[in-house]
Structures are given as structure tokens and as C-alpha cells.
Amino acid sequence: MIDPKKKKDGAKGARPDGQLRQSQLVTTFGPGAMVDLVDRAVVIGSLEHWGYGREGHVTLDDPRLRRSLIPRLKALDPDLDLAREGYFRMPPEGDARDPDTRVGVRALEFPRWFVCQHCHRLARASEQFENKNGRYRHQCAKNKWSSAVPVRFVAACKRGHLSDFPWIPFAHMDREGGVCDRQELYLIEKALGDVARIFVRCANCDASTAMSRAMALPYHCNGDRPWLGGRAANEKCDQNVELLVRTASHAYFAQVVSALRLPDPEPDPLRLRLRDKEVWKAVQKVTTVAQLSMIMELMDHVASAVGKTPPEQVIAAIRAENEASTATSERPLRSAEYDRMVTAPLEQQGIVPEPGVQFAAYRVPKHRLDLPPGIRGLVVVPELREVRVQVSFSRFDSIGANLQGEYDFAARKVKPAVLTLPTGNEKWLPAAEVRGEGVFVELDEEVLHKWEKRDAVVKRAELLLRAFEATGRGEFPGVRFFLLHSLSHLLLTAVSLECGYAASAIRERIYCGQAEVGGPNMAAVMLTTGTTGSEGTLGGLVEEGRRIRYHLREAWDLGRLCSNDPVCAAHDPSSESSDRRTEGAACHGCLYIAECSCEWFNRFLDRALVVPTIGNDPELAFFRERP
């Protein structure tokens, strides 16, 4: 990470101002994120400010994910697009031993207002402070110099725009004559951490305003996008600015879409023969066995292509070809992954994946497992590659993906911020590839359907729906998702105690869907662990996955009693006093896990739907008895 004000292009041997891991540039510190350096603060530059040098970029292209992302980018801005090649790229990799300013990410200085650590003078760095060797200093008194640091308060809006806090008008907010002629501002902090006792004072006119007044600012956003560079990148905005602390946890939320690298399935030999130009011309409109028999009698090349294949199978192949040719949209990401998992071949002892394979999944035969009621099967994934791509980012509030792991930006009134200038030449997105392993646990659809029809579960679903509607958030995921998500967290915690990986190193992947609401029937959870390094993982998660019944028992025991019971178990999310509208019986003592492991920011959880809990109807629990 380099500062363009300190280094000249092409300079060799100049040290960068900071370092970040490549994977962090796709999640926590992507374009538009604020980062603290030793003596100043910066905002990470947009994709136009990423340099790869002579070595060029590393491509992580995935056609399936590209087709899924293009309409979502268009919903953000019609000018956004992805190139035909090189559309997913790893962040540039610098060499600390031989640094080169042509390789790295340019960071732009932000905020531009600094405060003196001695006299608390508050001003723009370019107006009141002297830059010496990359550090800003202030001459408080004669021959006395003090260091100046970036002010910790900035202004932002829900569209992701970012600007310096309006210090001058804010300090004179209560002054009758408005802003005075010669402003001399000071930031007075009487009690550390208490905004009610932090004041901005103008020494010239003695106007003063407490920072507690900044909780509701009357100023419109100017549409500033400093990560894009220059005022020309600003856009119109209809939002009001809000106070934001630079290092706050809600200052940056990256919208990251991930997809497993699935190899193309082996083509059906029959469908390959039907694709012959002359054969397909003859059979493409065939819908019945009688029509097929007549054409086979009249055309020898059709009879030769069909051979001895049963007529019903040929009709099904023709129908599948027609559906594939008329498809207008990419199949949802999770649906394609789910189908590949549930149709995985049976595991054979002694057979291992070939070196370098991107994906390998095997269904463990039931005679090798001790599956409890409610669990249909187990699929182990010894080789797994996942591509994670950042699409946009937001501030103040996270944006949840749908059940397919995709973002519906078109349905949002307030859209997040973009990573690059839409009209620019950068038609690519930053990406990272995770190599690892996983365990796929599939629930029994028949048992699950009966559980969803129970009176106690229906009433619980209505309660959760009422609480969710009070939040004003998108679409209710359904009681099935609450079950799968809660089971995933309990199982993740139980497995982490045995597999050799920390709980924060394991990540969940939820497969949920119901045909009744217009989607495919899906009910499974997959726990994965991986690394962006080239060596992958060591196989401990897969081996522990074979002991699925043991881990389900441990998960059942973990969920039965929480250290905060009976308060946790009796939590009513629909209550007016509730501060957790998206959770039932869930808290830090039982279900919450590290946010890097959870896809849904620890929302939509209720352990009462998984195991019997204190004060709740046992009929709520999917696993009423210990597995």
C-alpha cells in the first residue's frame, strides 16, 4: 500500500506505507475502506489505483460466477460490466524485500482534517500543519512543535459516500450570525470516549457545539467518493450525512459473492449425438414416442444416432437440450452446487482425488455411517476451491444476500457503493481463491416437511415473521432456514473441538429452499475450511465428518442449555423491548460464532427449533431426542 504523494512512479527500493494481506483487500479493506497507518489515515483506492507491474495480474476467472454477477452489476450502474477475460483478479502481490511502487494499491490520504495532540487545534492539514518526513507537526507556541494526528470523526451516508466532517458549520450551528469571518477551531475532549463531553469550539467567536449533536446532522451529502480520486468522481446524492468514527465496525461492509469451482459435468453421449446438425434439425420438435418412431423409420442417420436407447430416454434428452438452448438466465449458484453434492458418486476405499483437481466430492455409503433419524446422508469434499469476489460495499448497515448467496441490488432503494468508476476502463473485480475441504450434511426432506407442519413450528414461524417485519429488512428466509442456520452453528462448534481447526477457521455454507415458495427443495449445511495459500488444508475436517452422529450428539448437548438460560430460551423477538428482532433463543452464550465463519452476521438463529430448550414446547425441536 503506497501513498502517491510520497513516491514517484517507477521508484525502486521505496518502502510502502503499509501492508495488507491479499485476502483482506477482497473483504475487510477493499476499495473505499479506511485504514490507519503509523502517522496518518488513508482510504484504499479504487481499482484504477491498483498496479500489477510487469508481471501482470493473476486471473481467477469463473464463467458461471461471471454470468451470475453481470445483471447485479448492471443494477448498481448500467455502465458497469465485466470483460471477457481477466474479469476476476487477485490483488497485487508486493515484495517487501524488493519493493516497487508500480506494484501495489495506492491509498489516498483521508481524512484531510488533523488535530494537534498538544493544543487540540483542529484544521485541514494543508492549512495549519507542516509536513516533515511524512509526519504533520503544529507549532503550538514559540519554538514548540507538537505532532498532529488525523481526526477520528468523518461524515458518510448510507450510499457509501465519504467526506470530511463539516467542522466549520457544525461548530457555528448555534451562532446567530452563522459562520464567523476567521475560524479557529479546537477539538476539546473532556472525557475520553464520551461524545457528550467532546466539544468543537471556535476561539475567534467563542461558538461551541457538543459532538452529541452530531447524531442527527442537517447537512446533505455531496456524493464524495475519495477512493475513486478527485472531485470529478463525485455524484449526486439524496441522503443526509451521518457521523462516522473511522475505526468503527460499521464503517465498511463488503458485499462478497462466492461460488465453488465446479468442473463441467461429463456430457451425456446420447445428447452429444443428438447435437449433430442434421440429427438435431430432424428431432428438435419431437415430443412423443410415436413421432420419434416415425422419424427413425424415415431417416437412417437419426436411427443410427439413437441406437438401442429406450424411446422415453431419447424424448427426455431432446427436452433437456431444448430447455438448455432456451435458458435466458444463469442457474442460481447454490442450486447448482447442491445438485452436484447430492449426485456425488459413492466413495470407494483406496480411491483418492487426482493431484491438482479443483473439486472432488464423494457420498459416504450408509453402511459405513450411523445416521440418526432426520439426516439423509453425508458427502465428504476432500478437494474444494472457492472463488470469492467483492462486488460493492456499504456503510452503517450490512446488506444480506438471498438464500442463493446472491445480492438483489435492483430491489434496493439505497444501493451500495461501487469499487471502480463505472465509465472507466476497469472491467474486472478483485477476487481471492480459497483451497480447502468440506463436509456436506443433508437433511431428510420427508422428515423435514413433517416437522414444518407441526402446530408448534407453525406458531413459532409466525412469531419470527412478526419480529422480522418490524425490522423493515428484505425478505423473510423462513423457519427452515432458521433450523439449518442454527444447526450449522451448533455443529460447527462441536466439530471444531475435535478436528484440529479453530472455530474461526471453519466457515458455513447453507443450502435452503422450498418448492412451495417457488424454489428448489434444498436442506443441507456444509462446513468448510480453507486457506488462500497454495497448499490447501490437512484433511482433519473430512475425517471428523465421518463421525457425524457423534458430533450431532455433541451439538445437541451444546444447544440444550445456555449459560444465559432461562433468559435466552425465553427470548421473544416480537416483543417491543427486544433488541434482537432476527433471533429466537440465541445469544453469545450458545449460538453466536465468529462473524468470519457465519454467512449471515449471526442473524436468523433459534436453537429451540433444533433441540428441546427450557420453557419451550419440545415439539419445536427437529431433534427432539438425542441423536
Side-chain angles (χ1 to χ4, degrees):
M1 187 167 60
I2 56 179
D3 181 356
K5 292 184 179 180
K6 294 175 63 179
K7 312 290 188 294
K8 295 180 180 180
D9 287 344
K12 297 288 290 184
R15 305 294 298 180
D17 291 272
Q19 295 181 359
L20 294 172
R21 295 180 60 186
Q22 284 180 293
S23 58
Q24 288 181 305
L25 286 165
V26 184
T27 52
T28 314
F29 299 115
M34 290 174 283
V35 179
D36 279 344
L37 302 179
V38 176
D39 302 299
R40 62 180 65 189
V42 296
V43 59
I44 301 297
S46 62
L47 302 183
E48 286 84 359
H49 299 278
W50 292 30
Y52 288 91
R54 295 178 180 177
E55 298 296 328
H57 60 268
V58 177
T59 299
L60 296 176
D61 289 354
D62 187 285
R64 185 170 68 97
L65 185 54
R66 177 185 181 273
R67 291 192 295 268
S68 174
L69 287 182
I70 285 180
R72 307 182 193 288
L73 290 173
K74 295 292 186 183
L76 286 176
D77 192 294
D79 291 324
L80 287 175
D81 201 357
L82 292 175
R84 292 290 181 181
E85 295 180 354
Y87 44 84
F88 297 151
R89 302 179 185 178
M90 288 185 64
E93 182 179 9
D95 188 348
R97 294 169 298 182
D98 185 22
D100 185 347
T101 57
R102 292 171 296 186
V103 180
V105 177
R106 291 188 180 275
L108 298 91
E109 188 174 81
F110 187 87
R112 305 174 189 90
W113 284 70
F114 280 59
V115 60
C116 175
Q117 290 188 298
H118 178 71
C119 69
H120 307 292
R121 179 74 162 95
L122 176 66
R124 292 185 180 89
S126 59
E127 296 176 357
Q128 288 292 331
F129 304 117
E130 178 183 337
N131 188 344
K132 186 173 183 180
N133 297 327
R135 297 187 177 186
Y136 285 105
R137 304 188 309 164
H138 181 229
Q139 190 172 12
C140 303
K142 187 176 181 180
N143 298 326
K144 182 173 179 61
W145 291 86
S146 299
S147 60
V149 296
V151 67
R152 58 188 171 118
F153 301 111
V154 296
C157 79
K158 287 186 168 60
R159 290 185 61 186
H161 298 139
L162 187 66
S163 62
D164 285 301
F165 190 82
W167 294 109
I168 295 176
F170 180 76
H172 299 84
M173 184 181 291
D174 297 327
R175 188 173 183 268
E176 291 185 3
V179 178
C180 65
D181 296 333
R182 184 174 58 84
Q183 309 93 30
E184 186 178 342
L185 303 185
Y186 290 85
L187 187 65
I188 311 300
E189 301 191 36
K190 296 183 178 181
L192 198 62
D194 185 3
V195 272
R197 303 192 67 182
I198 302 177
F199 295 85
V200 186
R201 186 177 70 86
C202 179
N204 179 53
C205 63
D206 206 31
S208 178
T209 306
M211 287 302 297
S212 58
R213 299 275 300 277
M215 298 304 166
L217 292 172
Y219 309 117
H220 289 290
C221 176
N222 294 324
D224 293 347
R225 298 186 289 183
W227 64 95
L228 295 178
R231 294 189 176 277
N234 297 352
E235 63 178 355
K236 293 182 179 179
C237 184
D238 58 356
Q239 302 286 310
N240 275 5
V241 294
E242 300 181 35
L243 176 68
L244 180 65
V245 178
R246 288 189 293 105
T247 56
S249 59
H250 65 314
Y252 192 85
F253 294 100
Q255 281 82 61
V256 178
V257 179
S258 70
L260 302 183
R261 284 197 184 274
L262 300 179
D264 293 332
E266 291 293 330
D268 183 0
L270 174 61
R271 290 179 63 176
L272 286 177
R273 295 195 298 270
L274 291 176
R275 289 172 189 171
D276 179 82
K277 184 177 180 180
E278 295 300 325
V279 175
W280 183 244
K281 185 178 180 180
V283 302
Q284 60 180 338
K285 295 184 179 180
V286 171
T287 56
T288 65
V289 174
Q291 292 175 345
L292 177 63
S293 300
M294 181 180 64
I295 291 178
M296 290 175 62
E297 291 179 2
L298 296 176
M299 300 182 180
D300 293 338
H301 62 288
V302 174
S304 176
V306 171
K308 297 182 179 180
T309 307
E312 293 79 7
Q313 187 174 340
V314 178
I315 296 298
I318 295 173
R319 187 184 308 113
E321 280 294 305
N322 278 315
E323 291 175 354
S325 62
T326 57
T328 57
S329 61
E330 177 67 16
R331 191 148 184 248
L333 297 174
R334 296 291 167 94
S335 295
E337 295 172 6
Y338 181 83
D339 288 349
R340 186 61 64 92
M341 292 294 180
V342 297
T343 58
L346 287 177
E347 183 183 38
Q348 299 181 18
Q349 292 184 343
I351 303 298
V352 296
E354 296 181 3
V357 69
Q358 292 186 345
F359 178 82
Y362 307 102
R363 180 175 290 275
V364 181
K366 290 187 177 181
H367 68 269
R368 296 186 200 163
L369 295 171
D370 184 17
L371 294 177
I375 301 297
R376 181 182 177 185
L378 174 77
V379 177
V380 294
V381 190
E383 295 291 342
L384 176 149
R385 294 194 186 185
E386 176 190 359
V387 179
R388 297 176 184 172
V389 179
Q390 184 179 357
V391 181
S392 59
F393 69 89
S394 59
R395 306 191 197 275
F396 296 109
D397 193 12
S398 61
I399 297 177
N402 59 22
L403 296 184
Q404 293 285 349
E406 302 169 339
Y407 293 94
D408 188 8
F409 296 131
R412 293 191 60 85
K413 293 182 179 179
V414 180
K415 293 180 173 57
V418 296
L419 308 182
T420 182
L421 195 64
T423 56
N425 298 323
E426 307 304 321
K427 305 300 182 183
W428 56 277
L429 294 173
E433 184 179 59
V434 178
R435 302 184 181 188
E437 58 186 290
V439 176
F440 180 88
V441 182
E442 183 185 6
L443 271 62
D444 190 316
E445 182 68 35
E446 184 178 348
V447 176
L448 181 59
H449 188 70
K450 291 180 180 179
W451 171 81
E452 290 173 325
K453 297 297 183 182
R454 295 179 189 174
D455 291 339
V457 176
V458 172
K459 292 180 181 178
R460 189 71 167 191
E462 293 173 352
L463 182 145
L464 294 171
L465 176 59
R466 288 199 305 272
F468 176 81
E469 289 176 341
T471 66
R473 297 181 181 271
E475 187 176 351
F476 183 62
V479 71
R480 175 182 293 209
F481 183 83
F482 275 82
L483 165 66
L484 291 169
H485 196 200
S486 304
L487 174 62
S488 172
H489 281 215
L490 290 172
L491 195 57
L492 186 152
T493 304
V495 170
S496 69
L497 300 175
E498 300 280 343
C499 70
Y501 296 108
S504 59
I506 304 175
R507 184 174 172 85
E508 69 179 1
R509 202 169 183 85
I510 311 295
Y511 296 88
C512 178
Q514 289 179 274
E516 292 84 353
V517 293
N521 280 325
M522 296 191 296
V525 299
M526 185 166 72
L527 305 182
T528 67
T529 186
T531 174
T532 53
S534 59
E535 298 300 324
T537 53
L538 302 176
L541 183 60
V542 165
E543 292 306 314
E544 285 300 323
R546 303 181 195 279
R547 305 168 60 208
I548 186 62
R549 184 155 199 161
Y550 169 81
H551 293 300
L552 284 171
R553 287 173 178 170
E554 292 295 313
W556 195 88
D557 293 338
L558 288 170
R560 280 279 287 153
L561 187 65
C562 172
S563 59
N564 292 322
D565 278 343
V567 176
C568 174
H571 174 241
D572 181 2
S574 64
S575 171
E576 292 184 2
S577 60
S578 174
D579 59 348
R580 292 180 286 126
R581 296 284 187 176
T582 57
E583 289 87 60
C587 69
H588 287 283
C590 52
L591 284 188
Y592 288 1
I593 59 176
E595 287 199 358
C596 58
S597 299
C598 178
E599 291 188 303
W600 293 80
F601 299 97
N602 282 320
R603 296 172 182 160
F604 310 117
L605 296 166
D606 190 351
R607 60 188 168 91
L609 298 173
V610 185
V611 300
T613 53
I614 295 176
N616 289 312
D617 189 347
E619 285 296 310
L620 280 175
F622 183 78
F623 295 102
R624 184 170 179 178
E625 303 294 333
R626 192 168 186 260

